[in-house]
Amino acid sequence: MIEIYRDLLIVTCIGLLSWGIIRIERIYQYPFFMGSMFTSFILPQAFALIDQPGILTPKAVENVLFVSFLCAAACWIGYASKPNRKWLAKLNIVIDERKLFQAGIALMIQGLFFNFLLSRTTLQLAETGGTWQGPSTIYLFFSQVINIAFGLFLLQSLKHPKIINLICTAISGWPLLSTVLGGRRQPMMTLIVIIGFSLWLVYRFLPPRLVIIAAIFLMTVLLPVFGAIRGDFWNLVLTGNWEKVFSLVQDVFETQQKGEILELRNAAVFIDASDKTGMYGYGTGWWDSIVFQYVPGQIVGYDFKRSLQFNLITQETLEKLYGYTIPNGSTTTGIGDSFTEFSYLGCLTFAMIGYIFKHLWISAVYQKSIFSMLLYMGLISPAMVGLTHGIGRFVQEAIFQVSFVILVAYYSRAKYKSQYI
């Protein structure tokens, strides 16, 4: 059965990619970019896990491959569903561009201010997992609004290439670009998405099909390298040290195939633990993620913060059942945490996210809703991170994006709808 589930996953990934490549304008739509992530992130680990299962039983390997297939298939099923006209009507918010510009300036100033504070703050790391804690987490949280401002000003610059729009685009985009140069993977995907989707919305510009195919291959090869060497990657590229780059790619690939650290193994362990114990979160795990992100322990106290969380299946649970410790810096993936919440029905989470993206796409592309454009650009990266890091991470970032984009839309909305809308 392992081979059957593996092949089902492969066929589904090929189907998602083919769906986009056949009609190239689909590359910014949910099934394609999620298919790209399943292909580049999950598939290589699936092959490594089959060869190097470690503590996993054949049944556990079968289960994680089957759940991976269900989640990949759900991405297309949710997106293919018929949209809700009432949702589309609510998304079609008419915007006053003068107020929109003012809102963008406010977001840019806020982002620059908190980026400045972050640069002057000594990072405090948690003893377990190495995650940030202390004031730096608050500064980082509020600094990210500058990405919304960047998307807003880029759209305005492409439609109205005035000096002021171009200057604001450059200023608001610099923090994101500098993070990319530091070798961070999610900011790199965010930058690509904002620029590419904006060019599509305004000019209907699309890269050639062969470039897209090459990009999928490069993403599969280079994403693990980015995670391993961070900013050194760009130093090697800019200095033309290709021999070192190819050597690192080979080393990272060989390390992955040895299967010593695999996020998919983490997912398999969590899936097996939930299956054995019958302990499912029914959404409490995602609530824990919200508390972790939005309740400041340094203000209300870490004991109080922990009292708000459920923590049903923890590291201690895995150590007791399997003697297994999740390696620092690795994740449980959206495959793992969706199953621990709702068993096999957890895959419908990917379908629901796809259904939301379907509405945002129609609203942004056909109704020309600025609100939907900004929200779409803001949610693509969290959706991909939802697969690699967990649905809880998507929920965290989605709340952030939706909240601030709604504030922008509320402030910028026009008093009267045009009769031509």
Side-chain angles (χ1 to χ4, degrees):
M1 293 300 290
I2 287 178
E3 290 75 15
I4 293 175
Y5 294 147
R6 178 203 62 196
D7 292 344
L8 283 172
L9 178 60
I10 293 172
V11 169
T12 304
C13 289
I14 292 174
L16 292 173
L17 294 179
S18 300
W19 180 86
I21 293 173
I22 289 171
R23 290 178 56 184
I24 200 68
E25 67 271 14
R26 291 172 172 171
I27 61 171
Y28 296 116
Q29 297 186 51
Y30 182 77
F32 179 80
F33 65 71
M34 289 303 291
S36 301
M37 292 306 297
F38 272 94
T39 302
S40 61
F41 184 78
I42 297 297
L43 267 187
Q45 294 199 37
F47 284 106
L49 187 64
I50 292 170
D51 291 337
Q52 304 291 338
I55 64 167
L56 298 176
T57 63
K59 178 64 176 176
V61 176
E62 287 179 9
N63 224 5
V64 74
L65 292 175
F66 180 60
V67 175
S68 299
F69 153 69
L70 290 178
C71 292
C75 291
W76 184 84
I77 293 171
Y79 197 81
S81 301
K82 184 178 180 180
N84 186 309
R85 291 183 178 274
K86 292 183 179 179
W87 288 19
L88 291 174
K90 290 184 180 296
L91 290 171
N92 191 18
I93 301 172
V94 181
I95 297 296
D96 182 329
E97 291 201 359
R98 181 182 59 84
K99 290 185 176 180
L100 182 67
F101 181 83
Q102 294 171 354
I105 292 292
L107 291 178
M108 183 173 68
I109 292 173
Q110 176 183 319
L112 291 173
F113 174 70
F114 282 101
N115 265 299
F116 172 76
L117 292 180
L118 183 61
S119 68
R120 296 299 185 93
T121 304
T122 302
L123 295 182
Q124 301 175 27
L125 301 179
E127 295 181 0
T128 57
T131 56
W132 289 17
Q133 60 181 14
S136 56
T137 59
I138 296 176
Y139 300 155
L140 176 64
F141 175 82
F142 286 107
S143 70
Q144 293 177 85
V145 299
I146 202 167
N147 294 342
I148 301 175
F150 173 56
L152 188 159
F153 287 126
L154 180 59
L155 283 171
Q156 293 300 98
S157 294
L158 293 174
K159 291 189 293 185
H160 311 292
K162 301 176 182 178
I163 294 297
I164 185 63
N165 288 337
L166 295 172
I167 292 174
C168 289
T169 301
I171 293 173
S172 59
W174 172 247
L176 182 59
L177 178 60
S178 62
T179 310
V180 171
L181 294 176
R184 307 298 298 185
R185 290 173 289 183
Q186 186 181 2
M188 180 182 69
M189 297 304 299
T190 301
L191 182 65
I192 292 172
V193 163
I194 290 176
I195 294 175
F197 189 56
S198 296
L199 288 171
W200 158 249
L201 287 172
V202 179
Y203 297 129
R204 291 297 188 263
F205 171 81
L206 289 168
R209 188 172 282 106
L210 288 178
V211 172
I212 298 301
I213 296 172
I216 295 171
F217 173 76
L218 287 174
M219 188 166 61
T220 303
V221 172
L222 294 180
L223 277 181
V225 178
F226 264 86
I229 64 175
R230 301 297 184 190
D232 290 339
F233 175 82
W234 294 114
N235 293 333
L236 295 173
V237 170
L238 292 174
T239 56
N241 194 347
W242 295 106
E243 183 178 350
K244 181 65 174 178
V245 172
F246 294 140
S247 175
L248 286 169
V249 169
Q250 183 177 355
D251 291 343
V252 170
F253 178 77
E254 290 177 353
T255 299
Q256 185 183 70
Q257 294 308 302
K258 288 178 183 177
E260 295 175 0
I261 299 177
L262 294 173
E263 274 88 355
L264 200 59
R265 181 182 292 116
N266 298 340
V269 172
F270 268 92
I271 288 171
D272 197 58
S274 297
D275 205 23
K276 283 183 176 179
T277 62
M279 294 175 60
Y280 296 102
Y282 301 108
T284 59
W286 300 335
W287 166 259
D288 290 348
S289 297
I290 295 172
V291 171
F292 176 81
Q293 179 70 18
Y294 291 101
V295 177
Q298 60 269 38
I299 296 176
V300 302
Y302 290 102
D303 289 337
F304 175 75
K305 181 174 181 175
R306 282 190 289 269
S307 71
L308 298 176
Q309 297 175 300
F310 292 88
N311 294 320
L312 294 182
I313 295 184
T314 62
Q315 177 65 64
E316 290 73 20
T317 308
L318 302 184
E319 290 177 355
K320 182 178 179 180
L321 290 175
Y322 308 98
Y324 182 75
T325 301
I326 296 177
N328 283 340
S330 64
T331 68
T332 59
T333 77
I335 293 166
D337 80 341
S338 63
F339 186 92
T340 59
E341 296 304 315
F342 296 104
S343 187
Y344 293 100
L345 293 179
C347 69
L348 296 180
T349 306
F350 288 88
M352 187 62 198
I353 296 173
Y355 190 58
I356 292 170
F357 268 97
K358 178 68 169 284
H359 289 80
L360 291 176
W361 175 267
I362 294 173
S363 180
V365 174
Y366 300 107
Q367 296 179 338
K368 309 296 183 183
S369 168
I370 298 292
F371 171 76
S372 297
M373 292 178 186
L374 294 176
L375 197 53
Y376 197 96
M377 287 189 288
L379 289 180
I380 289 181
S381 178
M384 292 189 286
V385 173
L387 173 61
T388 59
H389 289 63
I391 299 299
R393 177 71 174 268
F394 169 78
V395 172
Q396 291 174 351
E397 299 194 15
I399 290 173
F400 175 87
Q401 294 290 334
V402 171
S403 298
F404 279 96
V405 174
I406 284 178
L407 286 175
V408 169
Y410 180 79
Y411 174 78
S412 307
R413 72 194 189 285
K415 291 184 177 180
Y416 305 103
K417 287 191 176 183
S418 169
Q419 61 181 326
Y420 301 107
I421 296 299

